[in-house]
Amino acid sequence: MADTKGRETAAGTVENGIGAAWSAPSWGLLLGLILFGLTLVLVQARDEPPAPRGADAPAAEFSAARAGDVLRTLVGDGRPHPVGSPANDLVRERILAELRRLGYAPEVQDGVWCSYDGPCARLRNVVARFEGASGPGEPGKPGTPGGAVLLMAHYDSVAAGPGVGDDLSGVATILEVARALKTGPPLKSPVILLLDDGEEAGLLGAELFANRHPAAREVGVVVNLEARGTGGPSLMFETSGEDAWMISRYASAATHPVTSSLYATIYDLMPNDTDLSVFKRKGVNGINFAFLENPNFYHTPQDSVDNLSMASLQHHGDNALASVRALSEENLAAPPAGDAVFFDVLSLGVVRWPKGWTLPLAVLALALTAIAARRALRRPDGLSQLPQIPRRALLFGILGFWGTVVVSGLAAFGLYTAVRGAMPYNWVDRPQAEIAAFWMLGTALTLLIAGALGRRAGEVGLWSGVWIGWSVLGVAVAIAAPGIAYLFVVPALIAGVLGLLTAPGRLASALVPGLAAAVLWMPVLSPLYGGLGSTALIAIGLLVALIATTLSSLVPASGILGRRWLPLAALAVMAVCLTMAFLSAPFSKAAPQPVPLQFQQDADTGQARWLALGGRPLPGELRKAAQFSTNREQIFEWGSPNYRAFIAPAPHLEAPGPQVSVLEDSTVNGERHLRLLLTSNRGAREAALLIPKEAGLKSAAVDGAEVLLVQEGRPKGMFSAIGSITLPAEGVEVKLVLTKTGPADLFLYDQSEGLPPAGEALLRARPDDAVSFQDGDTTSLVRKLRL
């Protein structure tokens, strides 16, 4: 066996029985890091959405300028337009007017639907259609089950903001697509346009259409448009049903595709929903687009026309129009079967393969890297005349890879905990410094570990340990989540092939697969913070370290530069970035802190309080304006323990509380049947009964619409909110069936938008870098009752 102690050459190369002639050059690591930096710049540039087209764009193409004009008309004076509000009615009338101007004959679907375990709403969906060109008896003929494309966005907003990004941008996109369809080539299949209501209240409009509209049976594929911010590329981030054929159609039509089966896989694991979720549960095929940048504007007054990127609107429209045209060419009633693994490469095109190929490709990558490592261990390589290396070198290489994964993960979590303790915010105004710090952390740890083990592992041992590790991860992920595995499998395949054609440890065998990994992984890292907030920093630190391991085999040859000075420089940059992050104001007028305010009063005792539902910490100006508690406290008996707020005493409001009148109370077959009239005596737009699990709620209906109750796994104390968020002046009729026949203890509340006059001082005290959020500033009256 060759000497295992090794020695350091003048160039810094560690020789473990490997001649210096076969080592990577001393400048290889520096070159690799430079190429990684250039790759990041290229990825960021390619990640930008395409430039917006002007009003003079060809009629058959999408124009952000034309869509922007429509958008400004829809927005009007910029008031929020939640479901059931007068502003919502105005937006709907503008949508109808635009569709009629374009030559469509829109209809309004009017009905009541209820969210899971929660309130109901009266909804008004706008539906129109563009007929295809299919002849009689063909799959795309109007009325054919599963033969139409559904293009969908929601027009309601949250109460806190005008909802321009989320989702009037999607509505304006559809209206511009509707115009382009009239001037473009005929389609084989009809296109149904759905501008639905009540998405923010629980996907209610989509549910109403999917379950009650006659055209729902025609839907063969859905294209949904969403947003969680006001800028960035339009990501194709979710699929529904068997997606291989949809990906193929999208890939062939999109001019600037940004997509990955990684996004779709992760989104499936998240609790988030969009309107596509309604059709996904029904097994309908579909694809989902959204842009994610500027998450501070999401569901706030800053979600405005001025803050919306016209480039993002252009990309949204390009994707929507191309997808509708491409998908309509398929036989939607009987599309091809099969799922795909897919990803774009620098937005130039989409690589895809059948999902079933992923595990065999992962096993092949493991076999190739293992063979390359084994050849280096056993005997001279006929291609490169590589001398034999000790088996212990491979063990240290494997230890280096897995040690890097574990140490960087723990270090990223530790640094995140420290940063979050000092800056307890999920999104900040300028996160670049924080993000850069975690990039530097992952890079530094990888270089330090490779440098520490390089004397024993050598270049070949480090290369073998890294790429066998990547291949093992590829196999594991291919089994657990095939849609993500390409990130490991593709670089490992390239490494395995080069390891056999050249030699493990050579410059090409490290740089080429390393650059492949960078090209695949860096676009994934870019949207993480926008989508997940500060928790993404842990993943960023770990994943950057993983990418950097691809250069580990270049560290030994780099000598003291790679083992000491480069990692120390990375740590120094990390420290500078953290200092900048700590010294920077976390919020600004352009990127404000969400701090919604609520007035809440016990309708029976008259005791009132202010609630600051956001703000960690609470802005000092607000704390001075009222005697808010030092810490956030649980605020509702019926709410989650995690639903907490700062609390301050408030003056009594002279206003009548909500009321329930018993219209009928009977016992049938051991069950209690109640028919109630729920009203708000002060004209609030929302009211509900909060019924605990202990009351034995079996079924509920509001104005004849059944509430879908969550029956399984309901914890003790969990409440169902049975009522209406579009409460008419005359109230709503509520029917309940309870398994418990005795008296039941319930809560009753009503809620209106805005604070009472006494809240003006609080609104003035809320600083410019803080805004309302989600449901907005509200007034709520609550009472406890026994029925």
Side-chain angles (χ1 to χ4, degrees):
M1 181 174 289
D3 177 25
T4 60
K5 294 182 180 180
R7 60 185 178 85
E8 188 169 348
T9 67
T13 301
V14 177
E15 296 183 281
N16 286 312
I18 304 175
W22 309 114
S23 301
S26 59
W27 44 263
L29 176 63
L30 192 59
L31 175 63
L33 292 173
I34 292 172
L35 291 176
F36 272 22
L38 294 174
T39 301
L40 179 59
V41 172
L42 178 61
V43 165
Q44 296 290 344
R46 291 298 303 169
D47 200 40
E48 290 296 317
R53 294 191 186 94
D56 57 351
E61 296 180 6
F62 186 93
S63 160
R66 291 189 290 250
D69 289 341
V70 172
L71 177 62
R72 282 181 277 274
T73 299
L74 297 180
V75 173
D77 61 6
R79 282 184 292 167
H81 51 282
V83 58
S85 66
N88 184 270
D89 295 337
L90 290 174
V91 170
R92 182 175 59 258
E93 290 304 317
R94 294 166 189 149
I95 293 171
L96 291 167
E98 179 64 16
L99 285 168
R100 291 176 183 130
R101 186 186 71 81
L102 294 173
Y104 288 85
E107 61 167 302
V108 176
Q109 181 192 18
D110 191 328
V112 177
W113 197 263
C114 304
S115 59
Y116 284 93
D117 231 26
C120 308
R122 178 161 290 280
L123 309 153
R124 294 171 177 88
N125 294 332
V126 176
V127 184
R129 62 186 299 133
F130 175 80
E131 298 296 357
S134 299
E138 295 185 19
K141 182 181 178 183
T144 300
V149 178
L150 177 67
L151 179 59
M152 173 173 61
H154 69 90
Y155 71 87
D156 64 305
S157 75
V158 294
V164 171
D166 180 24
D167 191 28
L168 286 183
S169 64
V171 175
T173 295
I174 289 178
L175 294 175
E176 168 65 2
V177 168
R179 183 209 56 76
L181 291 177
K182 288 275 188 177
T183 59
L187 305 182
K188 289 185 178 179
S189 301
V191 179
I192 301 170
L193 309 175
L194 172 61
L195 299 315
D196 67 81
D197 197 7
E199 190 270 354
E200 301 292 1
L203 318 181
L204 301 185
E207 289 278 10
L208 181 68
F209 176 86
N211 290 280
R212 298 270 183 84
H213 199 284
R217 63 188 289 273
E218 297 181 53
V219 176
V221 66
V222 179
V223 178
N224 188 54
L225 304 178
E226 261 291 358
R228 202 180 189 280
T230 59
S234 175
L235 302 174
M236 202 285 280
F237 71 97
E238 183 187 17
T239 64
S240 171
E242 297 188 88
D243 59 20
W245 70 276
M246 293 184 290
I247 301 304
S248 180
R249 291 285 184 180
Y250 164 71
S252 64
T255 57
H256 192 87
V258 182
T259 188
S260 169
S261 50
L262 165 76
Y263 305 142
T265 302
I266 291 178
Y267 196 78
D268 279 343
L269 301 175
M270 297 173 67
N272 305 53
D273 283 313
T274 69
D275 281 333
L276 182 62
S277 303
V278 172
F279 295 88
K280 197 169 188 175
R281 288 191 286 265
K282 293 180 176 294
V284 180
N285 295 321
I287 55 178
N288 212 350
F289 294 95
F291 44 84
L292 306 175
E293 287 186 7
N294 306 325
N296 298 70
F297 298 153
Y298 176 67
H299 284 185
T300 73
Q302 270 64 28
D303 187 8
S304 62
V305 173
D306 290 342
N307 289 326
L308 181 70
S309 164
M310 288 295 107
S312 299
L313 185 63
Q314 181 67 52
H315 198 198
H316 231 25
D318 288 344
N319 280 332
L321 182 57
S323 296
V324 166
R325 284 174 171 162
L327 294 173
S328 72
E329 296 299 304
E330 189 62 63
N331 179 356
L332 299 179
D339 289 314
V341 169
F342 55 93
F343 53 93
D344 75 273
V345 178
L346 298 175
S347 302
L348 298 171
V350 179
V351 177
R352 66 270 188 194
W353 61 70
K355 187 176 287 187
W357 289 12
T358 306
L359 183 56
L361 288 173
V363 172
L364 176 61
L366 178 58
L368 292 176
T369 54
I371 292 170
R374 185 169 180 266
R375 288 175 63 180
L377 286 168
R378 290 188 61 188
R379 58 184 182 276
D381 188 327
L383 292 175
S384 63
Q385 299 301 310
L386 183 68
Q388 183 178 348
I389 66 169
R391 287 179 173 81
R392 194 165 65 176
L394 175 59
L395 296 178
F396 277 105
I398 292 173
L399 175 63
F401 175 77
W402 292 107
T404 300
V405 171
V406 172
V407 171
S408 60
L410 292 174
F413 178 78
L415 183 60
Y416 163 78
T417 303
V419 169
R420 193 67 186 266
M423 298 186 297
Y425 319 112
N426 206 19
W427 283 277
V428 296
D429 182 9
R430 296 178 179 87
Q432 292 83 1
E434 281 183 83
I435 294 171
F438 281 79
W439 275 74
M440 292 298 102
L441 174 68
T443 303
L445 290 175
T446 301
L447 295 180
L448 285 171
I449 293 173
L453 296 177
R455 291 177 180 274
R456 296 180 179 273
E459 296 158 348
V460 176
L462 288 174
W463 184 96
S464 301
V466 164
W467 288 112
I468 289 175
W470 272 70
S471 300
V472 169
L473 285 175
V475 171
V477 177
I479 294 171
I484 301 176
Y486 75 89
L487 291 162
F488 301 95
V489 172
V490 172
L493 276 173
I494 295 172
V497 171
L498 287 175
L500 291 174
L501 293 179
T502 59
R506 285 286 190 87
L507 182 63
S509 65
L511 279 187
V512 176
L515 287 174
V519 167
L520 294 180
W521 277 98
M522 287 182 181
V524 170
L525 295 179
S526 296
L528 276 183
Y529 184 88
L532 301 176
S534 62
T535 53
L537 296 173
I538 302 172
I540 289 171
L542 171 61
L543 296 178
V544 167
L546 186 68
I547 299 169
T549 61
T550 64
L551 301 181
S552 292
S553 62
L554 302 178
V555 173
S558 67
I560 195 171
L561 176 69
R563 293 199 311 273
R564 182 178 304 172
W565 298 120
L566 286 178
L568 288 178
L571 290 175
V573 172
M574 181 189 77
V576 171
C577 289
L578 289 175
T579 302
M580 292 173 59
F582 290 144
L583 295 178
S584 299
F587 303 105
S588 68
K589 189 174 181 179
Q593 178 185 17
V595 189
L597 301 171
Q598 185 177 100
F599 172 87
Q600 186 190 85
Q601 181 168 295
D602 188 309
D604 296 318
T605 67
Q607 185 176 0
R609 56 184 183 171
W610 301 114
L611 306 176
L613 301 176
R616 286 188 300 166
L618 190 67
E621 297 91 332
L622 277 176
R623 190 172 293 284
K624 292 177 183 178
Q627 298 174 3
F628 279 103
S629 57
T630 305
N631 299 312
R632 298 163 75 239
E633 303 173 14
Q634 185 176 353
I635 53 178
F636 303 129
E637 287 185 53
W638 59 86
S640 163
N642 296 324
Y643 195 54
R644 309 171 78 84
F646 297 98
I647 301 174
H652 174 74
L653 175 67
E654 290 295 335
Q659 183 176 338
V660 166
S661 302
V662 180
L663 306 178
E664 181 182 331
D665 187 350
S666 60
T667 301
V668 180
N669 298 326
E671 296 177 336
R672 189 181 182 195
H673 290 243
L674 286 167
R675 188 164 64 90
L676 312 170
L677 180 64
L678 176 60
T679 57
S680 171
N681 295 324
R682 62 187 185 91
R685 199 172 56 85
E686 176 178 349
L689 280 163
L690 297 159
I691 305 172
K693 176 184 178 182
E694 292 69 35
L697 182 61
K698 181 179 179 181
S699 66
V702 177
D703 271 354
E706 181 185 0
V707 178
L708 301 176
L709 300 175
V710 178
Q711 302 288 8
E712 299 298 327
R714 290 170 57 88
K716 183 178 180 180
M718 181 176 179
F719 287 74
S720 298
I722 309 301
S724 174
I725 57 176
T726 55
L727 188 72
E730 66 274 14
V732 293
E733 185 176 283
V734 176
K735 293 182 179 180
L736 306 175
V737 177
L738 307 175
T739 58
K740 181 180 178 181
T741 57
D745 292 321
L746 314 174
F747 290 93
L748 172 64
Y749 79 90
D750 67 4
Q751 182 170 292
S752 56
E753 295 159 13
L755 299 180
E760 288 298 322
L762 280 181
L763 295 177
R764 288 194 301 269
R766 186 163 55 194
D768 288 343
D769 62 356
V771 292
S772 187
F773 176 71
Q774 198 76 23
D775 291 335
D777 303 324
T778 60
T779 295
S780 180
L781 273 70
V782 183
R783 65 173 14 129
K784 193 171 184 177
L785 67 152
R786 170 165 285 199
L787 283 180

